[in-house]
Each structure stands twice: as structure tokens, then as C-alpha cells.
Amino acid sequence: MSAQKEKCFFPLVFLLFCVSSMPRCGSASLQQEPSPQHYFSGLEAGKASLAFFTPSVSPGAQPFLEQIESSAEALQDYGISVVKVNCPKEDVSRYCGKENALRKAFLFRGNRLIREFPTDALFDVNSIVANVLFALLFNEVKYVETLADLENIENVLKGKSNMVFAYVPATGTAEHRAVMEAAFVYGTIHQFVLTTEAALLKATSHDDPDVSSAWLLFCHCQRATDPAQPCRRTALAQPLTLLNIHRHLKLMGAPLVTEIAEDPEKISTVHLQLGLPLVFILSQKETYEADRRTAEFVAWQLLGKAGVALLSRDLVDLNVLRRSNVALKTPEEGMPIQYLVLEDTDEIITLVEDKNKVKQIQEHEEEEEEEDEDEKENNNQDIQDDQVLEAVSRDKKRELPLEQILVLTEENFNSSLSEAAQTVVLFYASWEAVSLAVLRSYSEVATHLKGTPGVLLSRVNCWDWPGLCSQENVTQFPTIRIYKEGQHPVTYSGMWGTEELSSFILLSQVSCPLKLVTVEEAEGYLRGEFPTELSSLHHTSLLGVFSTATSEARKAFEEAGNILSGHVRMGMYFEDDALALSQKYSVSPPALLLGQSGGRSVEGIALSKHSVQDMVQMIRYELLDVFPEITVANLPQYLQLRKPFLILFSAGDISQMESKEMLKLAKGGTQQAFVACWLNLKNTPVGHGILRTYFSTTPSLPVLLWVNLHAGGQVFKFPSEQSITEVNILSWLERLQAGLEIPSSTLSEEDWKPPLPAYDFLQMMEPSVPELSPHTSPHPGDTPAQHPPKSPGGDSAGGDTGTREEPSQESTAEEVGSPGRGLRGTAPRLAARDKQAKRHSEL
């Protein structure tokens, strides 16, 4: 039946039901026939009639005649006439014989006898209507006795039509009549199946059902296209009446999820018309697929209890809190829509089943808003103790320009990796402070690299997509990886500043090491002219030169390049004239050539060690500045050398004389023993705190210190009365090593720990239980096991849980993101617990 026909058909059916349930004033009555000849001659082809034959009416037959006459009114609605035929005394035929008088009734369709009924089976109007319709619909309503019979019918219907399976304790009851009347109307739309076998009812249920009561299950076989996939079942929760069956079938025929693109206050669905609430899942373009699956999962759980709609924030201007992710519209006139913040779909189920839950959630949200206002007034010490949290709190009102960063989900992750030559992915958690701080830097990188060909910046919120992040083996937040087709992803391990991130992304564009094929390319590479993608970077160009006889060193160099990819600029030259190139810089293959200052200075270094690890360490060391300015960004690189620091603290740029003397010292024969460096307090204000740790008061600047962090933590101060020259410093270092100098202070050996414990985000993440749920997960097992249903067919409270145990066509949706537990995409999962994160504009 077409959708248009169904649209007209349902109101007519409803009207028919209403009329059939109203008392009549004798508009239909028992027809009288003077003789069997008159009766049989007047029968019309295709028209059904119920007849009983009697020569006279005895007093004992009066109750039966009253019931059969009353049934005439009900049967006439289905085009069935009820006829009393008077038999002449001399007529001893099959129908008028003495043995049939008022002991049998006969059902005819045209001149063909359909069935004989003993009059004791037609004891009231319900039994008469039920048995007559059952006989007429014998080929349409299948009667089954075993589970195998039921499964055979299901298998035939899969992918084609749905089934209505009814159990009645006995035929001829009011429930049996209701089922048959519904089958008479809906039999062309659904396949009706009937049983009176209590054992079959128990076989279709997970609990011990009450076999003394009638049950009706709607079996969604049309959605089960896989022959091995069982049909979902949704039980009727109300008593088995004609009106309740009609209501149930109409709900089963409504769209599972309705998509809303207009004012939700003006929406009216079949659920609202039938007195049920309507649940809105608030969605947005970026998370549409996940929200759609979540809505479908919720709809299956609430089938028969409430409707579910997907409300797009992008298409409807909602004047509600951005973090709201669920709305509830009740059928009562004049009641406003309630917008709520829920953490998982279980709360939606509770919301529908417990009306008091709406009021509790609203009161809780009002309390939260009051707490937020209090926090604005108070200086929360817990936040101030953590500098990252403090920064996020301070900038919580700042809008991040995230439109240039592609949002990745489980649906578009793999396809997006092929959209560009290089896809950069930030894996983060939207509630976690460090992630939000890095997201700010990442947005600045996106602005800086806007328009760079072949580079796509994207992000994955692991709090919304734990399965995806687990699949990519992301175990800490934040994590940045670069994906290139056909290559293993490269993980970023540097500082989170904008400059460092941008440099890493640009350097990762080219192969590391980059293979050069001509001397001209090699010379241009040392001058920073090749490749053009890196022309904007002022990195030292490192070129490995190898002959055919040095294949072992070349392989180690290539492995080192894979490790250092994105962090250094490495090239490799191993053509026939490699010897001539290296000898130009006074070395022989295998060798490294370091091009600095645009190729004006090229240093040749012989490669004596050929292991990968030794080569990585040597390259990192050679790329360090001889006399560096220590910053927060580069300090870890120099700490890894595990050498003492000879560090000059300055209130600004150091003088040319001091720089010259320190540089001579750094380049001298003792340079391998310590790190000569300086720190500008204007550029790196944290230096003030370092000096206060070394001394009770900040000394006059500049001040030169010897600090051995890796052996005893002693701090020695260069005499302030002496000028900073190479000779004076070397003399002082000799006295210091001879034990003739007294340390100004000694650092404590206690561990430097953060003032507050870190979030155990893995504990807070949604657990993945290896159990297939009916609705959503790309990897079997992303959803928790469901509780068994409490009614036949599995409807714990009227028609939802019976569908949970069987994986169906729709179950593939749940395999992608497990929306059965968490509401993802439209609001943070920790909305009620992590106030600091939820206030960030990203959320």
C-alpha cells in the first residue's frame, strides 16, 4: 500500500473502530428467511453470511438467539449478515435435520460452506465475532503451534513485510476478537500470526510470562534483510483491546526518527496526537551521523512510549544554552518544550518513564548556573594552582577560530585522510585543560598555514569518539599525528607552541631524508633553496653524503631520518660524484654537511658511528646552537645532554663583549664538558623564579652561574667583581673543579610534582564492553550488554527491550559509536561534573 493510501486509510480505520465501539440503536438486526430455498437462492457470490436453521424456537435456545442477534450488529461492520432460516417440519435435509436444530451454525461465502460451528462455541458476542472472522481469515491469519513454524514465517517475511504475532489463552475471548478485528483491517499491510500455545509464548520470551494473559508483539521483519538476522519485536504494553492494537500499529508504522528543520514548538507528530511525548536530540552538521545513530538507538528503546526527532541547530535558531543536547515536548496543550543537558541515553529513557525526572534535572541545572556565577566572583585556588587550567579559565570567553579545522568522526576519518597529501590530526579531549590549551595553539597554526597546498588540518574529540581514538592507539591527550597515504603516521613529540607546530607540519611535507640526484640540487639544498616548500623555514640544512661502499651508514642515516621526520631538515646524496662533493668540505663519505646562514657556512663532519641510535643522537647534538639562548621551548633538548649548565642570566640582550667571550668559551676544547648558554629574563620571565630558587634575593644582573642539575644540584656563582672573559671563567672553573669554591646554594632532591593530581581520563572514558548491542558500533563490542526484557518479545515496560537482544540491520549503526551509553557530539559528556571545561567556547 502506498504512503498516500495509508495516510487516508488510517483515519478511516480509526473512525471504523470508534463506530464499532459505540452502542447502536438496532440499525442492524437478525435477518429472517421463510425457508432454506429462499435463503440459498438469495446468496450473493463473495458475500459472507452466518446462518442457523430451526423448525421452531424452544425456550432453551432463547439465550443463544439473543447473543446471535446481538452479534449481527457487530458482524455487519465486516459485511457479514446473520440469518435465521425457518425449516419446514417435513424438511429433513442436512441443515434442517433434527440433529442440527439449534446445535450448529453455518458460515457461508456465497454458496460455499466455509465452516460449521457448534452453538456451544458461540456463547457470546465476542466468541461469535472472533470465530467467524477467524474462519473467514483462515488463509490470511496463520495459526502456529511451534517455534519452528513461527520462525519459518519470519524467514519468509524478512525484507518484505512486518508481522503481528498474538497469543490468546483461548479462542472466542474478547482478546481473540480484538486481534481478528484488527487482522480484518490491517491484514493487507501486516502478516498476522495467532497461537494459543503457552509453550510457544514462553519460547519467544526471556522471562516467564503470564500465560493467563493475552500478548501481542509487533515483529519488524521488513528491516531484517539478512536471513540470519532475527526480527526485532516490540510488545504491546496495554491490554489487548481493538483501540490499543490500532494505536500500537500506528506507532509502529510511524517513522523511527523524524528530522526537524523548523520551530519545534509548531511540530505535531503521531506520537503527540496519541498522547505520547516527543524527545528531540539536538544535532549539528559536524556530528550529524553520530547524532542520527544516537537518535535511532533511543527511538528503538522508546518505541511505543515516545517519539524521537533529530533537531538541527544549523537549520533552527534555538534560543537555548549551547550545551543543551536533549529537549522534551509533552502532549499537554500550552506546555513549553523543556531543554536539558543529559550525559547518556539511559537518562533519556528515565526521563520518559519518570515525569518527575524533568523537574529534578532542571533544578540541578539551575543550581549549576548559580555555582558558575559564584565561581566568577571567587578566585578558585584549585584552578590557580595549575597554570594551564588558569590559562583556560582566563580565556574561557575567547572564541576559537575553528572553522578552518575539519572535524573528524568515525564516518569520515578514513575518507578524509585521502583528501590531501598530508592530513594533520589533533586527538584531544574536550573537557581536559591541556587539550583546550593546545587547541588554541592549533587554531593559530591553522590560520598561519591557511592556503598551504597539500596540508589539511583536522581534529578528533576523543571524548566523543573513544572507539576511533582507541583504534588509532591514542593513549594520551593531546596527540598530534601526520598521515600520508602509504606511510605510517608520524607522531609529534615537540613543544605545543604555534611556531613549533607549524615548523613540524611544514617539515613533514617532504621526505626525511630527501634524496637528491645532482650536485646542483645538493648545493642548493645546503643554501636552503631546495625544496621550495621549506623556503620559509630557517632551519639548518643537514646533508648526508655517501658512496656506494658505505651502504651500511646510508641505511642507518635513512632510519635516523624516519625517526627525526618533522623535526629536522635532512637530505641525502649518494651519486657517483659524492666523493668530490664531500672533499670540497674536507671530509670523505660517509659524512654530514651542515649548511647554516643560507649556505654561507658549511661544516663537514665525518660519520664514524653507523648505528641508528648513535646517528640520531649525533644529529640532534650537531643541530644544537653553540651558545644558545635558553627558552621554555628548547630547554628539554639541552637537559637531555645531562651536562652541567654554565648559564648567564641577563635582564635583556647581553653585550657584544660578553657574547663574544662566552662564544669563544663554548667553542673551546672544553665544550664537550658543559653547556654554555644564556637566559634573557625579558623573553623568559620564568627566570626570575629560577633565581629566587637559587638565592634568597635576586642578585644583580648579569650573573653567571654553574648549575649541575644531574649531580648534587649545587649552584656556584661567578664572582661579580670579575669581568666575564674567557680567561677569568676558565680560571674560576678550575678552582671549582678542584673543590676550592663554595656553592651559593644546593637544590633540594625532592621531586617536583604538580600541586594537584592529574585527571585519570581513562577511568572517565566510556568503557567498551565486548557485547553486541542492537544498534550502533563499527567494532563489534562497543556497547554494554543489555538487560533481558521483562515481557514476551522482550518489552520490559511496553514495547522496547524486546528488540535489544537481536542484532539487526540497524545494529550496524550502533557498532560505530556506541550511542547506547553516551550522548556524543552536541554536548560534553561531563557537563555536570567538569564545569571548567564546559565553559570553554569550544564546547
Side-chain angles (χ1 to χ4, degrees), residues 658-683:
E658 291 168 341
S659 177
K660 181 180 178 181
E661 293 296 323
M662 291 292 292
L663 194 58
K664 284 170 30 178
L665 184 68
K667 290 182 177 180
T670 59
Q671 64 173 337
Q672 298 293 332
F674 57 86
V675 176
C677 55
W678 68 290
L679 189 147
N680 186 343
L681 295 179
K682 286 187 176 180
N683 295 337

Side-chain angles (χ1 to χ4, degrees), residues 57 76 95 198 238 366 385 415 451 568 598 627 713 793:
V57 179
Q76 188 183 46
Y95 300 108
Q238 292 78 31
E366 290 174 0
D385 279 345
S415 60
V568 299
F627 178 54

Side-chain angles (χ1 to χ4, degrees), residues 396-581:
K396 62 184 177 233
K397 295 295 184 181
R398 177 182 175 187
E399 289 292 333
L400 296 179
L402 301 174
E403 61 278 356
Q404 299 175 36
I405 303 174
L406 178 65
V407 176
L408 298 184
T409 66
E410 286 174 337
E411 288 73 32
N412 67 357
F413 182 81
N414 291 325
S415 60
S416 297
L417 296 184
S418 60
E419 291 183 8
Q422 175 176 277
T423 303
V424 186
V425 183
L426 168 64
F427 298 90
Y428 70 103
S430 56
W431 55 267
E432 194 255 340
V434 177
S435 289
L436 296 180
V438 171
L439 191 61
R440 187 179 310 127
S441 295
Y442 197 59
S443 66
E444 294 171 356
V445 172
T447 302
H448 179 67
L449 298 182
K450 182 179 180 180
T452 303
V455 176
L456 174 65
L457 266 65
S458 60
R459 56 189 171 106
V460 175
N461 187 348
C462 290
W463 198 243
D464 284 341
W465 306 104
L468 174 57
C469 296
S470 175
Q471 170 189 309
E472 295 302 306
N473 197 27
V474 174
T475 58
Q476 63 183 18
F477 306 142
T479 292
I480 287 182
R481 286 191 183 151
I482 293 184
Y483 291 79
K484 293 182 182 180
E485 190 172 356
Q487 299 181 23
H488 290 292
V490 177
T491 301
Y492 177 66
S493 58
M495 300 295 287
W496 294 111
T498 303
E499 184 178 347
E500 291 81 5
L501 280 173
S502 299
S503 175
F504 176 76
I505 293 170
L506 290 175
L507 282 171
S508 298
Q509 280 188 284
V510 298
S511 301
C512 186
L514 180 65
K515 296 178 181 179
L516 307 170
V517 295
T518 67
V519 172
E520 289 74 18
E521 284 184 353
E523 295 279 11
Y525 183 80
L526 290 172
R527 293 192 299 269
E529 300 171 357
F530 185 85
T532 55
E533 297 97 310
L534 307 183
S535 58
S536 62
L537 297 179
H538 302 291
H539 278 251
T540 299
S541 296
L542 190 148
L543 180 65
V545 182
F546 305 92
S547 64
T548 55
T550 58
S551 59
E552 181 183 351
R554 191 185 78 187
K555 290 180 181 178
F557 187 79
E558 288 184 285
E559 287 294 324
N562 292 333
I563 295 172
L564 297 172
S565 177
H567 298 283
V568 299
R569 178 173 174 157
M570 291 175 60
M572 184 170 64
Y573 188 74
F574 52 92
E575 301 299 325
D576 295 338
D577 51 358
L579 178 60
L581 176 63

Side-chain angles (χ1 to χ4, degrees), residues 287 290-291 293-294 323 325 341-344 407-410 426-433 435-436 439 459-470 474-479 759-768 782 816-835 837-838 842-843:
T287 58
D291 298 331
R293 287 194 309 275
T294 299
R323 68 188 183 190
N325 55 4
V341 179
L342 303 183
E343 294 185 29
D344 55 45
V407 176
L408 298 184
T409 66
E410 286 174 337
L426 168 64
F427 298 90
Y428 70 103
S430 56
W431 55 267
E432 194 255 340
S435 289
L436 296 180
L439 191 61
R459 56 189 171 106
V460 175
N461 187 348
C462 290
W463 198 243
D464 284 341
W465 306 104
L468 174 57
C469 296
S470 175
V474 174
T475 58
Q476 63 183 18
F477 306 142
T479 292
Y759 280 113
D760 185 356
F761 60 84
L762 290 178
Q763 186 68 27
M764 301 166 78
M765 290 286 282
E766 171 185 334
S768 295
D782 269 1
V816 178
S818 181
R821 298 300 305 168
L823 292 173
R824 55 189 81 258
T826 58
R829 199 170 312 190
L830 294 184
R833 284 176 279 174
D834 192 34
K835 302 182 183 64
K838 76 182 179 185
E842 155 63 2
L843 304 181

